[in-house]
Amino acid sequence: MCSSSFVSSFELPDSKAHYNPDKKFSVAHLSLDIVLDPETETVSGFSKLEVKANQKDLTQIEIDAVDMSVLEVKLGTKILEYSHDGHKIIVNLNQSTKLSQLIKLQIKYELVKPSFGLWFVKPSPIYPDKPYQIWTQGEQEGSRFWFPCIDSPQQIHTFEGKFTVPKSMTAISNGELIATKVSGDQTTFTWSQKKPIPTYLVVLAAGDFAEVKDKYGKLDVRYYASKDKLEELKFSGKKTPEMLKVLEKWFGVKYPWDKYYQIWVEDFIWGGMENVSATVNASRALVDKKAVSDFPMTELLVTHELAHQWFGDLIVIDYWSHLWIKEGMATYAEYLWLESSQGRERADLQNYDELQAYLSESYRRPVVTNFYRISEDMADNHSYAKAGLIYHMIRYELGDDVFTKVITKLLTDYAHKNVDSHAFIRVVDEVSGKNIRPLLDQYLFRAGHPKFNVNYSWDKEAGLATVSIKQTQVKKDKLDESLFKLKLPVSFGNFKNKSKKEIDWQNLSLSIDQETQNFYFKLDKEPDLVLFDDGNNYLKEVEYKYPMGVLENIVQFAPDLQSKIYASQAIAKIGSPKALSSLANLYKKVDSGLVRAEIIKSIGQINLSDTLAEFKKALRDDEQKVRQAAVSGISKYKTQESFDLLVKLVKKGDSESYLAEGISYMSLAEVANFLGQEQAQTAFEILNEALVSKSSWNHILGRYALLAISKLTSYKESLKLLMDYTKLGTNEYLRKDALRTLGNILKYESNKSVEKGLDVLSEAISTLDKDIVEEMAIVQSLTQIAHPKALGLLKQIQTQSQYPRTQRQAMEACEKVSKQLNPRNLLEDLRKDIDKLKDENRDLKTKVHKLEEVGKK
């Protein structure tokens, strides 16, 4: 699998076109009656399917059932013949079906230590404090691993689940609890889901849980987690009722299910899963009061999974090619919640962060595509982040009221039905009368996005504003595929009362349909602000080339955060003392902590010695994000002064921000590693002390300390410590981070040390037990190590992992390591680096000469 180059390609070598399977039968009702034993990790019982024939004269039916023992198949009281290849049961019906005939099948089965779909969590000699828990994960195609079913999102049916578990456990599933029966040392919980749901959203979560009861109107809202996490549970779930209110307003449809429970379980493979009426979340995402501002993922996770109760659960995607419909809206719901709860500026930062997440992906693909390796490949930042930004564009195009009407009609017309991208477009057409196909053809059905260089100038004599636009993503040989044609707003602002931030705006538009265009505007006077894509509602990359005064005004007075970010970045790119002075003055004038943080980040991009003084000032800022940016910026100065400052910061800590303190660990290590052995040893001792003695949420400070120590590549004790923390029995958070960071230091070590480190990673691979976080940690380390054995270990993980995401990451890492081992590729990279250095040197000389000329004048 490592023979072809595909690191930057979504379509891997074994990708192919995928289509909906034939729907010969429709499942009308599914019921489970199973006994689960967490000690032996077994499941036994019955899966009962009521199916309707969609064709006549069918004599067989295929049932998905992976790695389980099928003991008997019945039609009513009649035992049927069947075959089972470990993946599918082929049942001979002993009759030919009539159209719409209802067939009731009962499948008796057993399952021992399921490889996927259902997880047993329990104590072990190595980790004796783990609780007993059982939980399931059905998306994309995991249900077939724990019960016989027709496992397709097209199958939408009612459900009843009868789950027998040890008496100490509570078993939670979809719908309403209709019966609880205790028999000896076991309890049977019976759940009834009367409204139809897709098979992949059938859920079971069982454990000895702490319970927090809440309400939203008459709706029963509850939160569950292991009993030692009760306080974090109370804190993490409490905003759910308010989120329900906000989403009901935007969606125009009441919450559609009987209850809403959130169960936070141990070792969950993702952040969360939106099972109908009972979301399962990872317990590692529970936060305490200090962590919540640094790590808002819990609040956003709760919002995201809650939004799925409408998008994905009430309306069900027709196939995985249309994953964006549900994942994009769940992602955009995070924006809607932040806009409502914290204001537009914080929500705009979320959209900016989603843009960076999408841009970080190494490939570009159409958001809607049926060409992929496996369905799990579709769960990337195109289906999530980019799709969320597409919803934002649609909202802007339609306006808020019409946007909500579109969503309401979509949810109403397709309730408990399948929906695809074309159905979504038809609803927009019906409700708004607006043709959004040109927009979606470019952003949804085609790969890529526009990259704009925007140049503004003013001709005083002619009273003419010129806005020049260049699309830098355009490829000459693929003009039709790479050129974007958009109508974007541009606004010119003049101060009416600057001290009161009163601005008169002239709002115009640009019809962009060429690679390079100049637009001319006759204005009464020179504008103080120029906003391209006013509001930044369209997905794009953009660079401003404006006069300094206009950029300063945008940073201080623009109504949206992203314009301020782009303007501060544009000032930083000037790179002169004047640019530094400009940003330093803006930092003093700006009230918003979020904007000040972006200014400090921009100052960090200016390579001048005077910036250190600005970082020192920012360390006293009340806003945590500003302090975080300042501490990070200090690491750019590899001096004894910055080292001494960072030592003080690390020892002092940060009582309000885990992240600011953790970043100080990282900065200290970076500076110390550059300065030499003495400073590296001092940093190691300080960081090791923090690792051992600092208590924190999810051991976050210890994890930062480990990551920082991995950067002390010049100090021999660093590698030994990291390898010690990879041993089984070490705290799981710390162990996984040690495995993740080991490669950071091994890539600088001698061959003997590298081989020893690879032995450690090999041993970790041999003890892997369905832990995707650990798998990905090992892959991340191996990616750093250009060694034939690293290549072999990556291939081993790729082969043995049951997780498609790990398989993909291992494949990509395998290609990267192969390239590093190829001398021809290394030589070519070296040549490119030398050419880059020549260019940078030339630019530097040019700047020096210009400064000399200014000095002479």
Side-chain angles (χ1 to χ4, degrees):
M1 286 293 186
C2 292
S3 58
S4 303
S5 178
F6 52 76
V7 167
S8 60
S9 174
F10 171 71
E11 297 173 1
L12 301 182
D14 51 352
S15 294
K16 62 181 181 180
H18 289 74
Y19 300 94
N20 286 353
D22 291 338
K23 194 176 179 183
K24 296 178 181 179
F25 294 89
S26 293
V27 180
H29 182 72
L30 164 70
S31 62
L32 296 176
D33 185 353
I34 57 177
V35 179
L36 300 105
D37 185 342
E39 285 291 355
T40 59
E41 300 183 34
T42 57
V43 180
S44 60
F46 301 90
S47 174
K48 302 173 185 179
L49 293 165
E50 296 181 18
V51 299
K52 183 181 72 174
N54 295 327
Q55 300 173 20
K56 63 180 181 178
D57 299 328
L58 297 172
T59 59
Q60 291 184 332
I61 182 172
E62 291 187 1
I63 308 292
D64 296 303
V66 181
D67 296 339
M68 58 185 72
S69 298
V70 179
L71 305 178
E72 185 180 74
V73 180
K74 282 186 175 181
L75 175 59
T77 58
K78 186 184 297 183
I79 296 176
L80 300 179
E81 293 182 353
Y82 65 91
S83 63
H84 182 220
D85 63 2
H87 295 274
K88 287 185 180 291
I89 310 169
I90 311 298
V91 180
N92 295 318
L93 296 175
N94 291 342
Q95 59 178 286
S96 295
T97 60
K98 297 176 182 178
L99 192 62
S100 299
Q101 179 181 351
L102 190 66
I103 299 169
K104 297 183 179 182
L105 295 172
Q106 176 178 283
I107 303 167
K108 185 178 181 181
Y109 74 103
E110 290 179 349
L111 179 60
V112 180
K113 295 187 176 180
S115 62
F116 201 73
L118 183 144
W119 280 255
F120 289 98
V121 178
K122 64 181 182 180
S124 70
I126 299 171
Y127 295 106
D129 295 330
K130 273 203 174 181
Y132 282 97
Q133 289 182 355
I134 307 167
W135 49 263
T136 62
Q137 164 64 30
E139 190 180 11
Q140 264 73 5
E141 293 158 345
S143 292
R144 65 186 67 186
F145 286 84
W146 68 283
F147 62 90
C149 58
I150 302 179
D151 196 5
S152 165
Q154 287 188 307
Q155 297 293 348
I156 305 173
H157 47 75
T158 54
F159 169 70
E160 182 171 292
K162 187 179 289 186
F163 304 104
T164 301
V165 295
K167 190 175 179 180
S168 60
M169 287 184 160
T170 299
I172 300 166
S173 188
N174 314 94
E176 180 185 4
L177 182 64
I178 59 173
T180 304
K181 182 181 178 181
V182 178
S183 178
D185 59 355
Q186 294 180 318
T187 307
T188 300
F189 297 84
T190 304
W191 293 85
S192 176
Q193 175 61 53
K194 294 182 176 65
K195 295 178 182 178
I197 65 173
T199 305
Y200 80 90
L201 293 175
V202 170
V203 65
L204 168 66
D208 184 11
F209 295 127
E211 178 187 64
V212 176
K213 293 183 178 181
D214 207 342
K215 290 191 81 66
Y216 173 63
K218 294 182 180 179
L219 181 69
D220 182 15
V221 178
R222 301 188 193 186
Y223 322 120
Y224 295 87
S226 58
K227 290 185 174 179
D228 62 321
K229 293 181 171 63
L230 177 60
E231 292 308 311
E232 292 96 327
L233 182 64
K234 291 177 182 176
F235 189 73
S236 298
K238 66 180 181 180
K239 293 183 180 179
T240 303
E242 186 61 28
M243 291 172 181
L244 280 158
K245 182 179 180 181
V246 169
L247 294 183
E248 282 188 346
K249 171 182 171 291
W250 275 105
F251 295 164
V253 172
K254 291 287 186 183
Y255 177 80
W257 310 107
D258 296 312
K259 68 175 189 304
Y260 189 55
Y261 291 0
Q262 295 170 80
I263 310 100
W264 307 76
V265 299
E266 303 301 310
D267 298 342
F268 194 63
I269 56 175
W270 311 131
M273 181 60 212
E274 68 275 10
N275 311 293
V276 167
S277 78
T279 286
V280 175
N281 293 318
S283 64
R284 60 182 174 272
L286 291 166
V287 290
D288 63 17
K289 291 181 180 179
K290 183 176 176 180
V292 68
S293 57
D294 283 337
F295 304 96
M297 72 285 188
T298 294
E299 188 170 325
L300 300 182
L301 173 68
V302 172
T303 310
H304 185 105
E305 305 306 337
L306 177 58
H308 273 311
Q309 298 298 316
W310 289 267
F311 275 80
D313 295 11
L314 178 59
I315 60 170
V316 183
I317 58 169
D318 184 60
Y319 204 54
W320 305 113
S321 302
H322 305 281
L323 186 65
W324 79 276
I325 293 175
K326 75 184 189 77
E327 294 301 348
M329 179 52 83
T331 301
Y332 189 52
E334 299 169 26
Y335 179 98
L336 298 174
W337 164 249
L338 290 171
E339 185 181 35
S340 172
S341 60
Q342 298 185 40
R344 165 85 187 275
E345 185 178 72
R346 175 63 185 88
D348 282 349
L349 179 61
Q350 183 66 17
N351 263 5
Y352 181 75
D353 289 343
E354 296 295 352
L355 175 62
Q356 304 315 305
Y358 157 65
L359 294 177
S360 70
E361 219 132 50
S362 63
Y363 52 79
R364 298 289 173 258
R365 68 165 177 87
V367 174
V368 179
T369 179
N370 70 334
F371 201 85
Y372 47 83
R373 182 176 59 104
I374 50 179
S375 57
E376 186 74 31
D377 287 347
M378 293 294 290
D380 62 3
N381 275 317
H382 283 69
S383 293
Y384 285 71
K386 183 179 183 181
L389 296 170
I390 289 171
Y391 271 111
H392 187 71
M393 290 192 291
I394 295 170
R395 172 187 168 186
Y396 175 75
E397 289 263 338
L398 301 181
D400 286 3
D401 290 342
V402 177
F403 178 73
T404 291
K405 288 179 181 177
V406 166
I407 299 305
T408 303
K409 184 170 178 60
L410 185 73
L411 292 170
T412 303
D413 289 359
Y414 289 91
H416 310 296
K417 299 176 185 176
N418 289 118
V419 64
D420 64 12
S421 304
H422 304 291
F424 176 86
I425 294 170
R426 285 195 299 271
V427 171
V428 174
D429 282 348
E430 288 178 38
V431 174
S432 70
K434 188 174 181 66
N435 183 9
I436 62 167
R437 285 178 178 81
L439 183 74
L440 298 187
D441 277 348
Q442 297 179 89
Y443 279 101
L444 199 62
F445 299 107
R446 199 178 84 182
H449 59 276
K451 301 179 184 179
F452 295 116
N453 277 349
V454 185
N455 200 319
Y456 157 73
S457 62
W458 172 254
D459 186 332
K460 185 176 181 180
E461 292 184 4
L464 205 64
T466 302
V467 178
S468 300
I469 309 292
K470 181 176 176 62
Q471 294 192 51
T472 61
Q473 85 286 349
V474 171
K475 297 177 182 177
K476 299 293 185 184
D477 59 333
K478 295 183 178 180
L479 187 64
D480 291 340
E481 297 176 28
S482 58
L483 181 69
F484 275 71
K485 298 180 180 181
L486 300 167
K487 190 172 184 178
L488 299 182
V490 62
S491 297
F492 300 98
N494 289 99
F495 291 120
K496 185 178 179 180
N497 187 324
K498 190 173 182 179
S499 63
K500 293 183 179 181
K501 301 182 181 179
E502 295 177 358
I503 302 170
D504 286 329
W505 291 101
Q506 189 170 355
N507 303 311
L508 304 164
S509 64
L510 309 173
S511 293
I512 300 171
D513 56 10
Q514 299 173 39
E515 180 184 356
T516 303
Q517 288 173 270
N518 294 322
F519 299 90
Y520 303 96
F521 301 93
K522 185 74 175 177
L523 303 176
D524 294 335
K525 55 182 177 179
E526 180 179 4
D528 298 307
L529 295 92
V530 179
L531 300 181
F532 171 74
D533 181 19
D534 186 2
N536 279 288
N537 293 300
Y538 288 84
L539 194 164
K540 65 188 179 303
E541 290 181 81
V542 62
E543 288 188 20
Y544 295 160
K545 294 184 178 178
Y546 296 175
M548 179 81 82
V550 175
L551 292 172
E552 290 173 336
N553 288 336
I554 292 173
V555 174
Q556 198 169 355
F557 299 104
D560 73 282
L561 180 68
Q562 287 191 48
S563 290
K564 296 178 179 184
I565 292 173
Y566 297 139
S568 67
Q569 290 171 348
I571 294 172
K573 284 181 180 177
I574 296 170
S576 65
K578 184 179 179 182
L580 174 58
S581 177
S582 169
L583 289 171
N585 287 330
L586 286 167
Y587 172 79
K588 297 174 187 174
K589 295 177 181 178
V590 168
D591 294 330
S592 165
L594 294 181
V595 178
R596 292 199 306 276
E598 295 303 326
I599 290 171
I600 294 300
K601 289 178 186 177
S602 293
I603 287 175
Q605 301 306 309
I606 300 176
N607 190 22
L608 294 172
S609 59
D610 293 342
T611 58
L612 182 58
E614 302 307 322
F615 295 140
K616 287 181 179 179
K617 295 174 188 175
L619 290 174
R620 299 189 292 271
D621 202 292
D622 291 337
E623 172 60 47
Q624 295 177 19
K625 290 184 181 298
V626 177
R627 299 200 302 276
Q628 292 159 14
V631 174
S632 181
I634 293 170
S635 67
K636 298 178 186 298
Y637 293 89
K638 309 297 193 290
T639 65
Q640 188 64 40
E641 179 187 5
S642 61
F643 176 79
D644 293 340
L645 175 59
L646 288 165
V647 167
K648 290 179 181 177
L649 289 173
V650 170
K651 288 184 175 181
K652 180 183 177 184
D654 193 308
S655 60
E656 296 180 355
S657 172
Y658 290 128
L659 190 52
E661 185 167 346
I663 292 172
S664 73
Y665 297 177
M666 302 289 292
S667 294
L668 175 65
E670 287 181 32
V671 174
N673 199 55
F674 179 85
L675 291 178
Q677 281 289 309
E678 182 182 344
Q679 289 86 350
Q681 180 176 350
T682 300
F684 177 86
E685 291 169 356
I686 293 171
L687 293 168
N688 192 28
E689 174 63 23
L691 173 60
V692 172
S693 63
K694 290 246 181 176
S695 61
S696 58
W697 163 79
N698 284 0
H699 293 269
I700 190 66
L701 292 179
R703 293 156 69 188
Y704 268 113
L706 271 180
L707 181 56
I709 287 170
S710 77
K711 292 182 175 295
L712 293 172
T713 57
S714 64
Y715 189 62
K716 62 180 181 179
E717 293 298 319
S718 301
L719 178 59
K720 182 178 181 299
L721 183 141
L722 278 178
M723 288 202 286
D724 284 344
Y725 272 84
T726 65
K727 294 175 182 176
L728 284 170
T730 306
N731 173 273
E732 287 190 274
Y733 286 114
L734 297 175
R735 179 172 181 266
K736 287 168 187 174
D737 275 16
L739 289 168
R740 181 179 293 109
T741 57
L742 190 57
N744 295 352
I745 200 165
L746 283 176
K747 62 184 176 182
Y748 296 108
E749 289 292 319
S750 65
N751 195 54
K752 184 177 179 180
S753 294
V754 169
E755 290 183 358
K756 188 176 179 181
L758 288 170
D759 287 341
V760 168
L761 293 172
S762 177
E763 184 178 349
I765 292 171
S766 70
T767 59
L768 281 171
D769 184 21
K770 296 172 62 178
D771 191 328
I772 189 172
V773 177
E774 189 172 332
E775 285 184 1
M776 289 182 170
I778 295 169
V779 169
Q780 191 170 328
S781 258
L782 290 170
T783 308
Q784 307 293 317
I785 307 167
H787 192 283
K789 186 173 180 179
L791 197 61
L793 293 175
L794 285 167
K795 290 179 180 178
Q796 182 181 339
I797 290 180
Q798 180 187 330
T799 302
Q800 77 179 44
S801 175
Q802 69 267 46
Y803 298 115
R805 292 193 197 184
T806 303
Q807 294 166 8
R808 184 181 184 101
Q809 284 193 1
M811 292 168 79
E812 292 177 343
C814 183
E815 177 68 12
K816 184 177 178 181
V817 173
S818 294
K819 183 180 177 183
Q820 292 171 336
L821 289 172
N822 187 331
R824 185 176 297 174
N825 287 326
L826 290 173
L827 182 60
E828 182 61 29
D829 289 344
L830 183 60
R831 285 173 180 161
K832 289 178 181 177
D833 289 342
I834 291 171
D835 289 340
K836 184 179 178 182
L837 285 170
K838 287 179 180 177
D839 291 339
E840 290 175 351
N841 190 44
R842 190 183 304 113
D843 293 341
L844 182 60
K845 286 181 178 178
T846 302
K847 287 181 180 180
V848 169
H849 288 316
K850 287 181 178 178
L851 288 171
E852 287 175 347
E853 290 300 316
V854 171
K856 290 176 183 177
K857 291 179 181 180

